[in-house]
Amino acid sequence: MVELFVPSISAAVPRRRTQRSRWFPAALLLCIAGPASAQTSPTELAVPAESSARYRLQAPTLATGGATEPDGTEGRETTAGIAASEAPPGGLPAGPTVPPNAGGWVGEPPGTHAPVGVNLAGLADWSSEWPFVDVMKVSRPWLPQLAGFGSPWNTGVPLQLDANGWPILKPGEAAATIVMDAIAGEYPGGVYVCLYDGEGQFEFQNDAKVKSAAPGRIELDVTPSNGGIVMRIVQSNPANHVRNVRLVMPGFESTYAEEPFHPVFLERLAHYQTLRFMDWQRTNNSTLVKWSDRTRPELQTQADDQGVAPEYVVALSNRLGKHPWVCMPHMADDDFLRQYAILVRDTLHPDLKVYLELSNEVWNSGFSQAQYCQNKGVAEGLSGNAYQAQLRWYSKRAVQMFDIWTDVFGGAGSPGAERVVRVMGGQSSTPWTGETALDFQNAYQKTDVYAIAPYFGGSLGSPDKAPITVTWTVQEVLTECILQILGPLTDKLLENAAMAQSRGVQLVAYEGGQHLVGMVGWENNQALTDLFVTANRNPMMYWAYRLFLERWKFAGGGAFVAYHSCGVASKWGSWGSLEYQAEPLSKAHKYRALIDFVAEEQPVLHYGTTCGPLIGSIGKAVAGGPSMYLVAGGAPPGAPGFLAAAGDHGGWSSLPLPLDLTSFGATGCSLYVPLEATASVQADGHGAVLLPFAPPGLPQLVGQEFHFQFAFGAPGVNPAGATFSSGLRLVIQG
């Protein structure tokens, strides 16, 4: 039970407390009046029924299925094989998933309180981000090989695939794929489990070695390196071919179907307001036209040229309570646009908005969507200037898309249609592109936001500037970045904001951040690459980002969606706010700048992930003001528990937090708040707790942050019999 669990953790923690930790959390608990049920009748403090339903963010039911329709490296090779009984097809769970992280669960609609979003990195076998605990979802599309040793990496002979992308092998053929490739071993090691249906034989190479094998289930010892995990199907019964292969990370075999997303991935995204799925959708140079050609959840991989299944876009948004920003393919027909809109309308949580954009950077001639729009615009005679015709056709098609989605969501002026944020894009450095798109046939009247991508430092890698830049120090590079932010970048932000405001639309950023990368051949200059990578890893980059975000706010910018979430630095750029999914925050200067900006802009912040109960707040924490409430939900009805409170959450004595509680028997749970000050609570018959919280009117409290976490007894859920909420941070207001 949970009351026994606290001492077991405490015993593992060295007793070395600071003076503040001795009195501050304990004094804080005096502000909590105890469980509301012990103070008043349930009806006196109950959350109104409609509010309770509004903020409970239970993910909608998502049906499985959909409409009909580098060189390899030799390494260790081991063999396992054989027949398996039929299992449910891979993909989204058929019923509701576990409730989302409490990002705005109670007290305010989810995702409306943070000013920053992020572009998710594209799915790939070489990505250093781990979105899914079943890593087959990011595997490379099958490579045709030969059975036996000495096969070419790719024979070039197409494999026969079934409707879901699983190979049907002929004698002598093999099918290979790879995951976690070329990321310097920055992914979890341990015992992976390969599950599959059908009859066949597997081989594993590089980082994976077979530990045990039985029909349908193979255990692998994985030792991460730069080689990744190579999987080969070397034999498959044509009458019962190998299919529905899952490769599950350690510790998730029993939960991967209900919770497909990795907890660290969720934790690192919890601070953001908006998730832009442009790279997840493989928007640039897309060839998608028909809805029937989209990626479906049950396919072999989500990392193919058609992008991620729309169902996963919605599932992740619901899981975290974040607004999705979706980019429709530039060649998509009306039926595709309508079907996507229907899916989002019917499955996205009703408290969430959806940002809707046609393609990405249609102004940018480097992408095929730009040429496509130009050809269309010229053919329709929209302008005698080909580039202007390109922008006008983009505007025209975007408005057609807006109208389709508006109709699906209930029609113009309806509450449903208010959930659709209609995005028109343009080039940050050339506001004329936005003027052209917004003004054509008065498109601004059907547009909600004008989106640009403000970057700094981009000129330093250009052919005319790079010969000078490469002689600079890191300090000189970062100083020049700061000068650009303070000068020409701020001027452009103000110019774009004024242009948007004059047309009645809000300025937002679809991308933005540093742009230190060699261009037009200079990407091959190793000295320049090293200089730019080192600059990105320098602590001064934190302050460059903070200044950049303050300038964005000063200019009147709205949602700022950084580019992007996670990626290894290379000659092609240092785009990731994190280089690796689990990168220590002390090294992740761009990421820290983004989340610190969020934290300062919002008085309530949810962080981490829950393994059961939810945590939230109602009202505002004001020094000397009326009581607000700390709320728990989703606990076992009547369960005893506790609330932990602290003045910080970076560590507990000498133990860094968050602490994975798996080794204490609470599998999938984490401790975010020190257990130095706790108050006993008990869930009511609905699994809820409501605690009044009244900070005293002390001036020194204003601006102070406090952290809270609930835990409850849950016999049988895990060996410890305990579940933990995510963390909640409050900043006391004056």
Side-chain angles (χ1 to χ4, degrees):
M1 296 296 291
V2 71
E3 61 268 25
L4 301 177
F5 193 62
V6 176
S8 72
I9 301 177
S10 300
V13 180
R15 303 289 89 193
R16 190 182 71 218
R17 303 178 182 178
T18 63
Q19 181 160 355
R20 182 186 185 196
S21 69
R22 279 199 295 269
W23 69 268
F24 201 51
L28 176 60
L29 287 175
L30 296 178
C31 305
I32 299 174
S37 57
Q39 306 296 318
T40 64
S41 66
T43 54
E44 289 180 76
L45 291 177
V47 183
E50 70 176 291
S51 298
S52 179
R54 177 176 176 81
Y55 300 131
R56 246 180 246 280
L57 281 192
Q58 185 75 24
T61 298
L62 297 170
T64 302
T68 55
E69 317 287 303
D71 275 354
T73 319
E74 292 193 12
R76 297 186 308 272
E77 180 168 316
T78 54
T79 304
I82 5 325
S85 59
E86 204 69 26
L92 292 172
T97 61
V98 294
N101 173 11
W105 171 59
V106 180
E108 53 188 327
T112 60
H113 49 279
V116 173
V118 72
N119 281 264
L120 296 179
L123 295 191
D125 59 89
W126 40 263
S127 174
S128 58
E129 192 165 58
W130 330 315
F132 298 103
V133 294
D134 172 11
V135 298
M136 276 300 290
K137 295 188 186 303
V138 297
S139 61
R140 190 175 303 185
W142 295 109
L143 296 161
Q145 294 189 355
L146 301 177
F149 294 96
S151 172
W153 182 243
N154 187 335
T155 65
V157 179
L159 293 168
Q160 180 185 350
L161 304 177
D162 69 13
N164 291 330
W166 303 107
I168 302 173
L169 299 179
K170 299 172 184 176
E173 285 186 330
T177 187
I178 187 170
V179 295
M180 304 302 184
D181 181 35
I183 58 171
E186 293 286 347
Y187 70 93
V191 178
Y192 282 57
V193 177
C194 176
L195 305 170
Y196 64 94
D197 300 333
E199 300 176 18
Q201 191 174 63
F202 289 75
E203 294 176 351
F204 294 89
Q205 300 174 0
N206 292 8
D207 293 358
K209 181 178 181 180
V210 172
K211 178 181 180 182
S212 66
R217 186 178 186 277
I218 304 169
E219 289 191 354
L220 303 168
D221 277 326
V222 172
T223 304
S225 77
N226 203 48
I229 301 172
V230 174
M231 171 194 291
R232 293 197 341 132
I233 303 175
V234 297
Q235 195 177 90
S236 184
N237 183 350
N240 187 20
H241 67 284
V242 171
R243 60 199 178 278
N244 191 24
V245 181
R246 290 137 288 159
L247 186 57
V248 183
M249 285 182 165
F252 299 104
E253 184 179 3
S254 64
T255 59
Y256 75 91
E258 291 76 25
E259 174 56 278
F261 303 112
H262 196 286
V264 178
F265 173 70
L266 295 175
E267 179 182 354
R268 292 296 168 95
L269 296 178
H271 305 270
Y272 297 116
Q273 171 202 43
T274 302
L275 304 177
R276 188 168 183 253
F277 290 92
M278 182 270 292
D279 281 331
W280 261 38
Q281 295 177 278
R282 296 284 180 99
T283 301
N284 292 325
N285 310 313
S286 173
T287 59
L288 265 177
V289 177
K290 300 291 185 183
W291 182 245
S292 58
D293 294 330
R294 76 194 186 285
T295 299
R296 292 173 284 111
E298 62 270 25
L299 295 188
Q300 171 242 331
T301 182
Q302 298 294 306
D304 67 7
D305 290 340
Q306 307 307 330
V308 175
E311 291 87 348
Y312 279 121
V313 169
V314 174
L316 179 61
S317 302
N318 284 338
R319 179 66 179 86
L320 284 169
K322 310 300 180 185
H323 304 307
W325 182 319
V326 296
C327 300
M328 295 297 98
H330 60 283
M331 296 193 298
D333 62 17
D334 287 358
D335 179 67
F336 183 103
L337 300 176
R338 184 169 296 275
Q339 294 302 324
Y340 208 121
I342 290 171
L343 184 146
V344 172
R345 180 199 65 192
D346 292 348
T347 59
L348 183 67
H349 191 276
D351 279 338
L352 295 173
K353 294 178 180 288
V354 53
Y355 286 77
L356 175 65
E357 182 182 12
L358 179 62
S359 191
N360 172 67
E361 293 193 356
V362 174
W363 55 264
N364 188 339
S365 60
F367 300 127
S368 66
Q369 56 261 36
Q371 189 60 54
Y372 178 87
C373 290
Q374 185 171 116
N375 293 343
K376 289 286 190 179
V378 170
E380 294 184 17
L382 299 185
S383 174
N385 178 286
Y387 189 64
Q388 187 177 55
Q390 169 183 326
L391 298 175
R392 286 179 170 177
W393 193 87
Y394 159 67
S395 173
K396 175 184 174 181
R397 184 56 177 158
V399 170
Q400 291 171 352
M401 176 186 68
F402 297 157
D403 288 344
I404 290 171
W405 277 61
T406 298
D407 178 65
V408 167
F409 274 75
S414 69
E418 294 299 314
R419 296 176 62 202
V420 181
V421 181
R422 299 164 296 181
V423 181
M424 193 74 76
Q427 186 178 22
S428 178
S429 61
T430 313
W432 172 84
T433 59
E435 293 175 355
T436 300
L438 289 169
D439 290 348
F440 184 62
Q441 298 179 345
N442 296 324
Y444 63 85
Q445 295 178 352
K446 292 188 174 182
T447 301
D448 299 303
V449 298
Y450 172 57
I452 60 173
Y455 283 100
F456 60 87
S459 62
L460 300 183
S462 63
D464 58 334
K465 184 69 173 176
I468 299 171
T469 304
V470 75
T471 67
W472 286 359
T473 65
V474 168
Q475 185 75 20
E476 288 173 315
V477 168
L478 290 168
T479 299
E480 177 61 23
C481 287
I482 289 171
L483 292 175
Q484 288 185 14
I485 293 167
L486 290 172
L489 179 60
T490 297
D491 292 342
K492 279 298 177 187
L493 293 179
L494 291 168
E495 185 180 351
N496 278 286
M499 186 277 290
Q501 185 178 11
S502 70
R503 290 160 175 81
V505 299
Q506 171 73 57
L507 179 68
V508 300
Y510 66 85
E511 292 176 15
Q514 62 77 36
H515 199 291
L516 296 174
V517 61
M519 295 177 283
V520 195
W522 277 91
E523 69 274 10
N524 297 316
N525 185 293
Q526 191 61 49
L528 187 67
T529 295
D530 292 344
L531 177 65
F532 285 161
V533 170
T534 304
N536 269 273
R537 293 171 177 168
N538 189 285
M540 189 175 172
M541 184 60 79
Y542 172 93
W543 297 109
Y545 261 66
R546 290 303 304 269
L547 177 63
F548 174 57
L549 291 166
E550 292 298 336
R551 292 286 87 189
W552 170 257
K553 179 182 172 184
F554 167 78
F560 178 87
V561 185
Y563 192 82
H564 57 63
S565 57
C566 187
V568 178
S570 73
K571 70 177 184 178
W572 306 114
S574 300
W575 306 112
S577 58
L578 296 161
E579 286 199 54
Y580 300 100
Q581 184 70 87
E583 182 178 19
L585 296 191
S586 60
K587 297 181 178 179
H589 307 303
K590 293 177 288 187
Y591 179 79
R592 282 193 302 107
L594 292 167
I595 66 174
D596 284 356
F597 180 74
V598 170
E600 289 184 8
E601 290 296 303
Q602 64 180 57
V604 180
L605 177 69
H606 301 80
Y607 56 91
T609 55
T610 177
C611 60
L614 302 176
I615 187 169
S617 61
I618 299 174
K620 205 173 186 180
V622 178
S627 292
M628 51 91 66
Y629 298 95
L630 300 170
V631 186
F642 64 81
L643 173 70
D648 58 59
H649 72 310
W652 180 14
S653 187
S654 61
L655 188 69
L657 296 178
L659 174 65
D660 185 344
L661 298 178
T662 299
S663 62
F664 294 91
T667 305
C669 301
S670 293
L671 182 68
Y672 295 100
V673 177
L675 300 181
E676 295 178 341
T678 60
S680 296
V681 299
Q682 183 163 6
D684 65 16
H686 300 286
V689 172
L690 200 63
L691 293 175
F693 177 56
L698 302 176
Q700 60 265 41
L701 281 181
V702 177
Q704 293 290 335
E705 63 178 57
F706 300 129
H707 298 263
F708 302 94
Q709 184 176 16
F710 281 107
F712 293 93
V717 170
N718 53 43
T723 57
F724 289 72
S725 73
S726 56
L728 176 73
R729 167 190 174 275
L730 296 179
V731 177
I732 305 301
Q733 308 297 294

